[in-house]
């Protein structure tokens, strides 16, 4: 009865529009008072601070700052120009450029909202000029940004790795394949839509011009090479790679492109600090929630129930996907991660599910939540960036939600897709 009241409290706070800090924090404190009243208050404070006391999390503010620096400068523009030179001549080329550009920017930012903001003004007018409908153009722009959460480096993988103790390098390796699979699925739909809308192909750029574009973009291409090459070669950790990405972005944008001024650097740093604070407040509260989940032995209860009804890993993963899909409709992705992973991850490992494979499933669900109405975060970022009604964007994302679900089902039940590259690289 008391647990039901605490759940109702959380749902009431969410429905009333309270900040997620309150939606997560007040029920957690109510649970403490109801079931663990003798637990010292300093222990609660310890668990909250422990939620962010981890060196791995230092990568998050660095990647956020790097994404903002590149999105406001020339690196993002040059990455898109390289993709356009390579695939812009295909049927529905600007649609493929949108998908490929999002994947390229994701490879240096790890942030889906930053990808939407950076790509929106660059590709949306060209998609409309090419003949794609407004509904499709908006849906593709918002949805292709999902690949940024899968193509390493990914902030979501960093948080998941910190929560579960899973190797972030292995997660990055698996995410590279899953991100490409999702991108190819979107590209196939772009091709079908191009035929439907009568969008023709652009003139093929000669290889001499393509190579010239690639050479001109060498500084922008250096960013993913340094980040991913440094991580996979063992030269530096993901956290160190994040710091290197900031230094590289500042140096290139200020000294090479001269597109970044000191006032702009201070402004972007301030914005990044605010975004970081929002994430870290949620992570801190997530540490407390995880503590109470452990105390309440929720994972053991779930596992016992599954054993009682003789359900295996297949049924369990169906439940996981449903839970994340529903959560993604109403709360932000980081909150869904913090609420659902602590009770579900121990059950997954007990059922023999590889932590990297489970991480791919979780992150794909988080990606889906970024575009799932009514509260998909990327929908609102696109609305603000392009000054378009939210309802118009929602109309465009439904086909991509369906594509995402199909890819999710494939990744869920064919674990070899997620695990092949991590096993190849790390054994």
């Amino acid at each position: 009865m008391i647990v039901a009241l605490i759940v109702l409290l959380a749902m009431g706070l969410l429905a009333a529009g309270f900040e997620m800090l309150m939606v997560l924090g007040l029920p957690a404190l109510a649970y403490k008072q109801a079931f663990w009243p003798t637990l010292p208050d300093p222990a609660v404070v310890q668990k909250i601070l422990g939620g962010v006391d981890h060196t791995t999390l230092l990568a998050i503010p660095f990647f956020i700052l790097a994404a903002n620096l590149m999105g406001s400068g020339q690196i993002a523009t040059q990455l898109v120009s390289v993709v356009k030179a390579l695939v812009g001549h295909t049927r529905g080329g600007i649609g493929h450029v949108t998908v490929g550009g999002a994947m390229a920017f994701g490879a240096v930012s790890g942030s889906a909202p930053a990808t939407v903001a950076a790509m929106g003004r660059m590709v949306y007018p060209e998609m409309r000029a090419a003949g794609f409908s407004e509904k499709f153009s908006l849906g593709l722009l918002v949805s292709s940004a999902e690949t940024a959460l899968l193509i390493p480096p990914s902030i979501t993988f960093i948080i998941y790795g910190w929560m579960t103790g899973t190797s972030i390098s292995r997660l990055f390796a698996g995410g590279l394949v899953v991100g490409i699979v999702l991108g190819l699925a979107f590209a196939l739909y772009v091709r079908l839509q191009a035929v439907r809308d009568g969008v023709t192909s652009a003139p093929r750029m000669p290889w001499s011009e393509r190579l010239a574009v690639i050479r001109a973009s060498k500084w922008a291409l250096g960013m993913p090479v340094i980040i991913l090459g440094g991580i996979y070669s063992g030269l530096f950790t993901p956290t160190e790679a994040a710091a290197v990405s900031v230094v590289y972005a500042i140096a290139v944008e200020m000294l090479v492109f001269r597109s970044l001024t000191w006032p702009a650097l201070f402004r972007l740093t301030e914005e990044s600090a605010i975004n970081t604070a929002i994430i870290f407040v949620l992570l801190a509260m997530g540490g407390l929630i995880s503590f109470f989940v452990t105390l309440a032995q929720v994972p053991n209860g779930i596992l016992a129930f599954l054993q009682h009804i003789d359900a295996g890993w297949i049924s369990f993963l169906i439940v996981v996907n449903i839970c994340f899909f529903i959560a993604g409709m109403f709360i932000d992705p980081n909150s869904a991660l913090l609420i659902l992973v602590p009770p579900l991850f121990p059950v997954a490992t007990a059922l023999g599910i590889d932590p990297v494979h489970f991480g791919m499933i979780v992150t794909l669900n988080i990606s889906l939540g970024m575009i799932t109405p009514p509260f998909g975060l990327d929908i609102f970022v696109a609305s603000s960036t392009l000054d378009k009604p939210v309802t118009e964007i929602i109309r465009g994302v439904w086909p991509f939600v369906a594509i995402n679900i199909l890819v999710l089902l494939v990744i869920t039940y064919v674990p070899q897709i997620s695990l092949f590259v991590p096993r190849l690289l790390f054994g």
Side-chain angles (χ1 to χ4, degrees):
M1 181 64 180
I2 295 178
V3 173
L5 290 175
I6 293 174
V7 171
L8 287 175
L9 170 63
M11 295 176 63
L13 292 171
L14 181 63
F18 280 76
E19 294 292 337
M20 285 307 302
L21 169 64
M22 307 295 288
V23 175
L24 297 176
L26 290 179
L29 294 176
Y31 183 87
K32 183 260 183 189
Q33 287 301 117
F35 294 99
W36 304 92
T38 58
L39 184 70
D41 290 337
V44 174
V45 175
Q46 260 187 341
K47 294 302 176 183
I48 293 174
L49 294 178
V52 292
D53 186 17
H54 201 291
T55 54
T56 302
L57 298 179
L58 286 174
I60 294 176
F62 286 125
F63 278 131
I64 290 175
L65 178 55
N68 287 336
L69 290 169
M70 291 179 288
S72 65
Q74 293 298 310
I75 291 179
T77 303
Q78 290 199 355
L79 289 172
V80 173
S81 70
V82 171
V83 177
K84 186 180 294 185
L86 295 176
V87 301
H89 63 278
T90 56
R91 184 77 181 264
I94 189 58
H96 296 301
V97 169
T98 300
V99 177
M103 295 170 70
F105 190 75
V108 294
S109 70
S111 169
T115 302
V116 173
M119 295 288 297
R121 294 187 180 93
M122 284 190 284
V123 298
Y124 174 74
E126 293 191 48
M127 280 194 286
R128 296 291 290 124
F132 284 115
S133 67
E134 182 174 49
K135 182 175 73 170
F136 174 81
S137 300
L138 292 172
L140 178 63
L141 172 65
V142 172
S143 304
S144 59
E146 290 180 74
T147 56
L149 294 183
L150 295 160
I151 301 289
S154 164
I155 292 174
T156 304
F157 283 146
I158 293 170
I159 295 175
Y160 173 86
W162 157 74
M163 293 179 69
T164 62
T166 307
S167 166
I168 294 176
S169 296
R170 286 179 175 270
L171 290 169
F172 281 2
L176 183 62
V177 177
V178 175
I180 291 173
V181 170
L182 183 62
L184 290 175
F186 287 156
L188 177 61
Y189 183 59
V190 168
R191 178 65 181 241
L192 296 175
Q193 189 67 33
V195 173
R196 185 181 305 167
D197 289 346
V199 177
T200 57
S201 57
R204 183 184 294 269
M205 184 181 293
W207 270 107
S208 58
E209 293 183 24
R210 296 186 196 183
L211 293 175
V213 171
I214 294 173
R215 283 195 296 269
S217 305
K218 60 182 179 294
W219 290 104
L221 293 172
M223 178 69 88
V225 171
I226 289 174
I227 294 176
L228 301 184
I231 292 173
Y232 293 140
S233 67
L235 186 61
F236 37 67
T237 66
T239 302
E240 292 166 342
V244 170
S245 71
V246 171
V247 175
Y248 185 87
I250 292 175
V252 170
E253 297 289 3
M254 293 192 78
L255 302 178
V256 179
F257 299 146
R258 299 188 182 278
S259 60
L260 182 66
T261 62
W262 285 107
L265 176 59
F266 294 144
R267 175 179 56 80
L268 292 171
T269 303
E270 181 182 10
E271 292 176 3
S272 302
I274 293 172
N275 293 335
T276 299
I278 293 171
I279 293 175
F280 270 61
V281 166
L282 292 177
L283 291 178
M285 197 54 62
L288 182 62
I289 293 173
S290 180
F291 173 66
F292 285 130
V293 165
T294 304
L295 281 182
Q297 297 185 330
V298 173
N300 292 339
I302 296 174
L303 188 59
F305 175 74
L306 292 174
Q307 291 172 342
H308 177 70
I309 63 174
D310 198 26
W313 68 277
I314 294 177
S315 303
F316 169 70
L317 290 181
I318 292 175
V319 173
V320 168
N321 288 330
I322 292 173
C323 288
F324 271 100
F325 183 79
I326 294 173
M329 295 175 66
F330 300 105
I331 61 178
D332 72 272
N334 289 324
S335 298
L337 202 65
L338 295 170
I339 293 171
L340 295 175
V341 169
L344 295 177
F345 177 76
V347 179
T349 55
L351 292 173
I353 299 170
D354 189 283
V356 173
H357 178 215
F358 191 67
M360 298 304 111
I361 296 169
V362 167
T363 306
L364 255 177
N365 274 291
I366 294 299
S367 301
L368 179 58
M370 299 291 283
I371 67 168
T372 305
F375 297 118
L377 178 59
D378 284 353
I379 294 173
F380 294 96
V381 174
S383 175
S384 174
T385 301
L386 300 174
D387 194 25
K388 297 291 181 180
V390 169
T391 52
E392 185 67 23
I393 299 173
I394 289 176
R395 287 179 60 236
V397 301
W398 288 116
F400 297 95
V401 169
I403 293 169
N404 205 316
I405 291 174
L406 290 175
V407 173
L408 175 61
L409 290 174
V410 172
I411 297 302
T412 297
Y413 294 111
V414 188
Q416 291 81 4
I417 298 175
S418 303
L419 301 176
F420 173 72
V421 173
R423 288 173 177 171
L424 185 67
L425 292 177
F426 304 105

